[in-house]
Structures are given as structure tokens and as C-alpha cells.
Amino acid sequence: MNRRSFLRAVGCGAALLGGGRAGVRASPADERPDVLFIAIDDMNDWTTLFDPDNPIQTPNLKRLAARGTFFRRAYCVAPACNPSRTAILTGLHPSASGVYGNRDAWRELLPDVVTLPQHFARHGYATMGAGKIFHHGAAGRDRPGNPSFQAFFGMRPTRAPKPNHNGYREGPLSKTWFDWGVHDRKLIDCDTVEWVEKAMEETTRRPLFLAAGIFKPHLPFYADRRTFDRYPFDKTRVPPRKDGDLDDVPQIGRNMVAKEDFIYKNVIARPEDSPGSLKTMVQCYQASADFADQMVGRLLDQLDATGRADRTVIVLWSDHGYHLGDKETCVKFTLWEKATRVPFIIVAPGVTQPGSVCDHPVSLLNIYPTLADLCGLPERKALSGVSLVPLLKKPDAPWPRPALMTMGRGNHAVRSDRWRYIRYIDGTEELYDHESDPWEWTNLADDPGHARVKHELARWMPKQEVPWPINKSKHWIYRNVTWDDAPQGRAKGARPAR
């Protein structure tokens, strides 16, 4: 694609990009760094980035981490695409924005909010993006008269097979959306990355904020045959499971699992070597996550080719994790570890130390203020998060703030170095000790000896939350649960949360 047709395709014109030879960025009048903002969908922590013994191979994430700071204990704001991405891009926690679920249209709830790319555009940056940045679908659509990006290439539809790869011919799993398997057609992330590669070749006299939204490993779990060859079926590992794992989980926690319970119930019942089995699904998730890592590698290669890598701040994150049979579920939408712990890397030349690792629990809600801080933009007082620059400079610096996660109004988890404490809107609780229980099999919330731990972690939960205009009696999170409308919610007749 030549420069003229590229500009026509993105619809930005000379107001966005300046002249110059493709592949050679013009000498900028503004010496502030560029930003490469990489979003990945549904990638959990079962990768070699976190542990070389993990099954999912992510050499390019490791390559990126070697350039800057890897936050080994990073957590999403919400274990669902729309509230997680909205929180990152607006800097507002769900309790402040009202975006609690995938169907909440952020542009209607927050008509005047200044999004992260808008903040950069207002202070002299060219802003471009492609793929899945906000949530796809109606709720995640940008404001037509006040868009977040000056140029944007939307996510292409999946090139669906007929019939499904996974062998299901009836029910929800027969739909492309819930498919998995070897897929030889061009995957939509290739379209996204090709567009971003072209954008990197263009020239601008303004610093550039460039976002790349990689859809994999979101369902359908697809990858090409060459990628699958790295994950032989007979060597596929599935997460450990405990019989009766949900016996000590409160009703709302079990409701969260039930959101897509049909996946687990079907795959666990299939013969292991079936294309619709849990083991095959896990194999396909691993290959799909590997494919996403390959897309990251292409972006890094292209950035290096521009000669601007040493003047580019890179941030990579996943919107949430994913359960793969652990906790008796194959879903996100829960407040447990595997649905909330994510890869998170920041490379800031001149600030981060190559190969540094931060072990403090941190939230992705801090991305907005951190990028503004790194690039010299004015501080925005209304943001819910704080800058991570002190940890980028010194990863072991004191950091008293645990990570906060929210799924629906009134349901929160707090993750400290050792503990995960969950409290639901009806006052029911979970508490897990990660020193002895990494898969969260034993709920310690009713042990009086842990009352102080719960009290200390509960201090970080929201004191006030904006309403969520839903029918509580019908919403899947609150089915078979009643509570009063006190600020923190409490089941009628239940004991107060300790």
C-alpha cells in the first residue's frame, strides 16, 4: 500500500501525518517519546514469561520483558473485557464509572470523559490504533463525534470454518464464537498487525501514540498448524482440579462460574482424545496464546526496524486471565487468581532497567497515569489509579497498595503479596493463602484467626459505588441472592462482613 492509499484508508490525511520517506521517521520537532500500546485478550499467567516450566511458550513476551520491567503480580481491574478495557482507557474504576459489565456502553455513561489516547492527542500526540482496544461490539464502540483515536482500523470478523473444528454440531459450542482447533485461514490479528506495521513506517513530526489490539487467545482458540506442532496432544498439560472445589464458595461466586458453565460441563464429559474435550480445548488455548506472542514479535521487529525503539515507551497488558478447567470452570468473569492475573510489561528508555522484575501486586488501572507521567503530560486529578514510575525506577521500592479487582457492583477482590480476599455484595467472603494454596482450593474466610487479615484488606475496597441499572433478580451474577441497598450491600439476615 502506498502512502496516499494508506492515508485514505485510515482517514486521517495530512493533519495527522507529515511528509517523509516511508520507513524513516522525520526528525520530530517534539522530542517526547512515542508510545506503543499493546493489548492482548484473555491471556492468563500460564506462560513461560512467568515461569520457564509453564506450558505456553511466549519467547517474544520474554524478549520484551528483557528490555524493561515485568510486573510479575499484575491484576486486571475487572475479569471481563468491557469493564477492564474501559477502566484502563478512561482511568476510572468501575465503582466510579458505572461500567461494571460487558453490556454497559461506556460512551453513554461517560459522554465527556477524556480517554487515554485523547489525553495524548490534546497534548500534541498523533493517535492511531487497530484491532481490539476498547471492547468489541455495541457496548465498546467509540463516540462517533468525539473519537478516542485520530485514525483507527477496526477488528476484522473471524474467518469462520464450516463446520466447527471442535466437533460440536448442536448448542452454543457449535457456534464459531466458541470453537477451537487448527485454523489454516488468515487470522484477524494478522490484519491488525499488518496495519500497525504500516503505521510505524509512516512519518510524523509529532510524537506518536500507537495502539495494537491483539484478539488472541480469546475464543475461538485458533492457530496455524505450525504453531500447533509445538503443542503435541500427548504432551498437553491441563490445570490441576480438586473434587468439590466449589463446595466452600458462596452463591455469587458459583453464579460467576455459571456464566458459561455449558463449556465446562460439555468438555469435561467428552473422551479425552475428542476434539471437543477439555484436554483438546486447553491444547488449543495454548497454541492460540503462542500465536498472540508471535504477533507481539512482529510488532517488536517492526519497531526495531524504524530505528525508534530507543525513543518509544512500550506497554503490554492483557485485559484479564482465563480458567482452563481449574475451579470447575472454563471462563473468565470470576474474582479468582487465574481470571485476574495477567502479563504486564513496561519498557521506558532511560527509566526502566532492562530485565527488571517487580513482585509487588499492581493494578492495570495504573496504566493511564503512568503513561502520562512517563511522557510529560499534565496530571489528571480525576483518575482512580496512580503512577507506577517509582516502581519502574526501583522495582523493590515500598508499595503499600494491594491490587483491587471488581466483577459487578459490590463484588471485589483484593490481592496482597500473600492473600486474596473476596467480598461479595451480600457480605459473603473468600480468603486464600497463596503461600500454601496457589490454586485457591481452601476458603479460609470463616477462620476467626484471619479476621485481622480480612479487615486490613477490606480497607482497600470502594466505600461508595455508583449504581448499576440492572434487574438484580434476573442478572446472572445475583441469581438466587438477595441483599439490601446499603452502600456495601449485605444479605438480608446475614452477618456483616468482618
Side-chain angles (χ1 to χ4, degrees), residues 195-498:
W195 194 94
V196 174
E197 288 171 335
K198 288 288 186 181
M200 288 186 192
E201 291 177 354
E202 295 303 319
T203 57
T204 174
R205 294 189 179 278
R206 287 188 279 165
L208 177 64
F209 182 101
L210 180 59
I214 297 169
F215 186 55
K216 293 298 147 203
H218 193 290
L219 278 164
F221 300 148
Y222 290 157
D224 57 275
R225 168 54 64 188
R226 186 177 64 174
T227 301
F228 263 86
D229 287 344
R230 289 196 283 276
Y231 300 90
F233 181 79
D234 60 352
K235 295 184 179 180
T236 296
R237 293 159 49 191
V238 298
R241 302 192 306 278
K242 173 191 174 186
D243 291 340
D245 194 0
L246 304 186
D247 291 350
D248 58 0
V249 170
Q251 181 65 50
I252 295 180
R254 295 197 299 272
N255 288 349
M256 291 177 178
V257 162
K259 174 63 169 69
E260 291 177 358
D261 200 34
F262 61 89
I263 299 179
Y264 183 75
K265 287 181 177 178
N266 278 277
V267 300
I268 200 69
R270 289 288 174 113
E272 186 179 79
D273 58 354
S274 162
S277 70
L278 174 64
K279 186 173 180 178
T280 304
M281 193 194 79
V282 171
Q283 176 198 29
C284 296
Y285 176 88
Q286 293 176 357
S288 189
D290 184 309
F291 181 84
D293 180 78
Q294 295 172 47
M295 297 298 100
V296 173
R298 284 181 54 174
L299 294 172
L300 296 182
D301 289 344
Q302 182 71 348
L303 177 62
D304 290 345
T306 67
R308 290 284 298 175
D310 62 347
R311 292 196 51 79
T312 299
V313 171
I314 307 171
V315 56
L316 178 144
W317 51 275
S318 177
D319 55 357
H320 46 71
Y322 205 85
H323 293 285
L324 295 168
D326 55 287
K327 302 299 291 184
E328 299 183 16
T329 188
C330 299
V331 75
K332 38 220 177 183
F333 304 124
T334 80
L335 288 171
W336 299 317
E337 185 82 357
K338 289 299 174 184
T340 56
R341 189 182 183 196
V342 295
F344 180 37
I345 301 167
I346 295 179
V347 178
V351 179
T352 52
Q353 295 296 317
S356 56
V357 177
C358 179
D359 281 317
H360 291 299
V362 299
S363 170
L364 299 188
L365 190 61
N366 299 321
I367 289 177
Y368 193 145
T370 301
L371 289 180
D373 192 0
L374 288 171
C375 297
L377 274 59
E379 181 183 1
R380 298 199 62 241
K381 301 292 187 181
L383 302 183
S384 302
V386 297
S387 174
L388 295 171
V389 167
L391 293 181
L392 296 178
K393 293 179 177 179
K394 188 178 180 183
D396 60 352
W399 190 259
R401 305 169 65 94
L404 171 68
M405 292 133 273
T406 294
M407 186 62 217
R409 182 177 181 270
N411 310 307
H412 308 288
V414 178
R415 181 66 159 88
S416 67
D417 289 339
R418 177 176 177 179
W419 302 94
R420 173 176 294 271
Y421 173 53
I422 301 171
R423 189 175 70 199
Y424 300 107
I425 197 169
D426 64 351
T428 54
E429 303 165 301
E430 297 175 59
L431 180 70
Y432 300 101
D433 183 353
H434 273 261
E435 284 190 357
S436 59
D437 186 17
W439 290 94
E440 300 178 332
W441 286 341
T442 304
N443 179 8
L444 302 173
D446 286 335
D447 183 343
H450 297 308
R452 178 179 289 275
V453 171
K454 293 191 299 181
H455 175 74
E456 290 299 314
L457 295 177
R459 295 189 303 110
W460 296 95
M461 293 182 178
K463 302 300 185 293
Q464 294 182 328
E465 302 181 61
V466 298
W468 192 13
I470 62 168
N471 186 327
K472 294 193 289 275
S473 65
K474 293 183 179 180
H475 195 276
W476 55 272
I477 291 180
Y478 304 117
R479 206 163 290 151
N480 301 319
V481 175
T482 58
W483 71 93
D484 62 31
D485 287 318
Q488 294 181 343
R490 187 162 62 247
K492 293 179 180 178
R495 70 182 188 281
R498 292 188 291 258

Side-chain angles (χ1 to χ4, degrees), residues 82 89-90 105-108 110-111 113 115 117-118 127 133-152:
N82 188 41
L89 290 157
T90 66
W106 70 270
R107 65 189 179 280
E108 297 174 8
L110 304 166
V113 73
T115 65
Q118 280 183 321
T127 58
I133 300 299
F134 286 99
H135 185 37
H136 62 278
R141 287 178 190 150
D142 208 347
R143 298 166 294 200
N146 186 23
S148 295
F149 292 90
Q150 297 161 339
F152 196 83

